[in-house]
Amino acid sequence: MKVLVTYFSQTGNTAQIAKAIHEEASKNHEADLKALEEVSPDTLASYQTAFIGTPIHAGGLAAAAKEFLEALPQGASCTLAGFVTHASSAYESASFEKGLALFREACQAKNIAFAGTFDCQGRLAKAIQPMVQKARKLSDEDWAKRMADTDPHPNAEDEDKARAFARQVLG
C-alpha cells in the first residue's frame, strides 16, 4: 500500500507527530512524508491512504490545511485520516474538537473514505502566549500551570499513541 503523511507545522509539534506516523507506516508500506506545501490535493490520487496533519488555530484547522481539504477532488480514491496538535490546556476541548470534526465533514462532502482522527497536546508558541493568556483572562499563576501542562508535549508517549493510530488506520 502506498501511504502519504503530509502536515502543516509552524512550531514543530505537528511535524513531530507526522514523523511518528510516517515511521510506523514505513514498517509495512511504501510511505512518503511531505510538508503540506509540497503536495496538492490531486497528489492523493497516487496513494491508497493519506494522513493529513495540522495544528488547531482559533478553534479550527490552520488555514493551509482547511484550504487543502476544501480543494480535495470529489470522490478521491484514497482513505483519509487526520491528525492535529493543540494547546488544549490553554483552551476548552470544544476548540480542538471542532477542528477534528472538519476532517470528517470534508470527507463526507467529497465522498472520500474517512479513517478517523488523532489529536495530541502540543506546546503553545511562545509568541502568542501573552495574547491567549489575555483573551482567556487568566492570572499569571493559572497561566503558568496551564503552560507547564503543554510544554512537555508532544512527548514519547504522544508519539507512541500516534504510531498506534497509524497501525489502526492501516490495519
Side-chain angles (χ1 to χ4, degrees):
M1 177 185 321
K2 199 166 177 194
V3 178
L4 173 65
V5 181
T6 187
Y7 63 93
F8 175 75
S9 187
Q10 293 174 301
T11 63
N13 294 335
T14 309
Q16 184 176 340
I17 296 303
K19 289 173 187 168
I21 290 171
H22 177 259
E23 179 182 291
E24 187 63 36
S26 296
K27 288 180 179 177
N28 297 310
H29 306 282
E30 180 184 344
D32 294 326
L33 176 66
K34 297 182 178 189
L36 192 62
E37 57 268 14
E38 296 177 57
V39 298
S40 74
D42 293 331
T43 304
L44 272 58
S46 301
Y47 297 91
Q48 285 76 46
T49 303
F51 292 86
I52 300 174
T54 178
I56 295 294
H57 286 177
L61 304 180
K66 186 176 179 189
E67 290 168 11
F68 188 87
L69 289 175
E70 289 171 353
L72 288 174
Q74 186 71 28
S77 60
C78 73
T79 297
L80 189 139
F83 62 99
V84 301
T85 57
H86 55 80
S88 64
S89 67
Y91 299 97
E92 295 82 21
S93 62
S95 292
F96 73 87
E97 290 168 357
K98 177 183 166 192
L100 290 172
L102 292 173
F103 282 105
R104 183 186 71 253
E105 292 166 7
C107 287
Q108 287 174 340
K110 300 287 184 160
N111 197 29
I112 298 171
F114 179 60
T117 52
F118 172 76
D119 73 275
C120 176
Q121 176 74 52
R123 290 176 295 281
L124 185 62
K126 295 231 184 267
I128 66 167
Q129 287 184 16
M131 176 188 68
V132 175
Q133 179 184 0
K134 184 177 179 181
R136 306 299 316 145
K137 299 177 181 167
L138 295 170
S139 70
D140 288 345
E141 182 179 330
D142 286 341
W143 185 253
K145 287 178 189 174
R146 289 183 187 219
M147 290 303 96
D149 288 341
T150 68
D151 283 343
H153 294 280
N155 58 25
E157 183 180 343
D158 298 323
E159 291 172 351
D160 287 344
K161 289 177 182 177
R163 287 184 197 95
F165 173 67
R167 284 191 300 276
Q168 174 191 335
V169 168
L170 297 170

